[in-house]
Amino acid sequence: MSFSPPRIRVAAYVIRQRARPELLIFEHVDVPEAGRQVPAGGVDADEGPSEAVLREVAEETGLADIVIVRALTTEDKPHPETGQPRRTTYFHLSATTDTADDWIHRVEGNGSDTGVTFACYFHPLPLRHPLADDQDAWLGLIDPALATRPSRTAWQPRDHR
């Protein structure tokens, strides 16, 4: 039996404080079945988790004016499709109140997401529907009132035309 070390990852809960706290979410414009997600991805060999989470947010959303509040937790969970081990550290970050409500961002550079288009937007908390891969599972660590409160209706992707 061979042992495969986990892929080291980060995930970002970027919160904008308005009348109600809002979470930055994105959807893949060309792959709606990927579901609603928060910025997340692998930690490069030459960086720590804090640097990685800032890089991932910038790459996937274009936002650079964000601040890390704190690391929340580390989750060991296999990839939902491949079953490969993953270790993800979730971070709470803050965005300024004047950050746009929604925008389209096309990933540039030479990474695996290059050319992918994301529809980014802030959604009031608590969420009524879970995010893809249960990425919302740790929102309650920021504040228990922010934990997802599931409703009985199914989530539908936005129309990004």
Side-chain angles (χ1 to χ4, degrees):
M1 182 157 130
S2 67
F3 171 76
S4 178
R7 178 173 182 232
I8 306 301
R9 304 176 70 248
V10 292
Y13 292 149
V14 180
I15 306 290
R16 180 176 73 173
Q17 295 295 331
R18 290 266 176 106
R20 286 174 55 186
E22 300 170 327
L23 176 67
L24 175 61
I25 296 173
F26 69 78
E27 298 174 26
H28 292 258
V29 171
D30 299 320
V31 189
E33 62 273 13
R36 301 179 317 156
Q37 301 177 35
V38 295
V43 176
D44 292 340
D46 62 341
E47 65 185 353
S50 295
E51 293 86 11
V53 76
L54 293 171
R55 176 185 49 76
E56 285 293 338
V57 171
E59 284 178 4
E60 294 182 351
T61 70
L63 290 182
D65 189 18
I66 54 171
V67 176
I68 295 174
V69 176
R70 67 185 174 103
L72 296 170
T73 192
T74 299
E75 171 187 76
D76 286 301
K77 181 178 175 182
H79 188 279
E81 295 171 10
T82 67
Q84 293 299 311
R86 301 180 302 174
R87 177 167 292 145
T88 305
T89 300
Y90 283 78
F91 284 84
H92 172 197
L93 297 95
S94 67
T96 61
T97 58
D98 61 349
T99 304
D101 293 333
D102 57 76
W103 65 96
I104 300 295
H105 177 72
R106 182 178 163 91
V107 178
E108 302 200 5
N110 56 9
S112 62
D113 286 345
T114 300
V116 174
T117 302
F118 295 120
C120 306
Y121 57 95
F122 281 93
H123 192 285
L125 291 171
L127 300 174
R128 293 184 57 192
H129 306 286
L131 298 175
D133 194 26
D134 295 321
Q135 288 182 327
D136 57 299
W138 305 108
L139 283 166
L141 294 178
I142 297 170
D143 179 335
L146 303 183
T148 301
R149 296 197 175 106
S151 73
R152 295 172 194 239
T153 58
W155 167 80
Q156 296 296 317
R158 286 180 162 198
D159 183 1
H160 302 293
R161 287 181 258 164

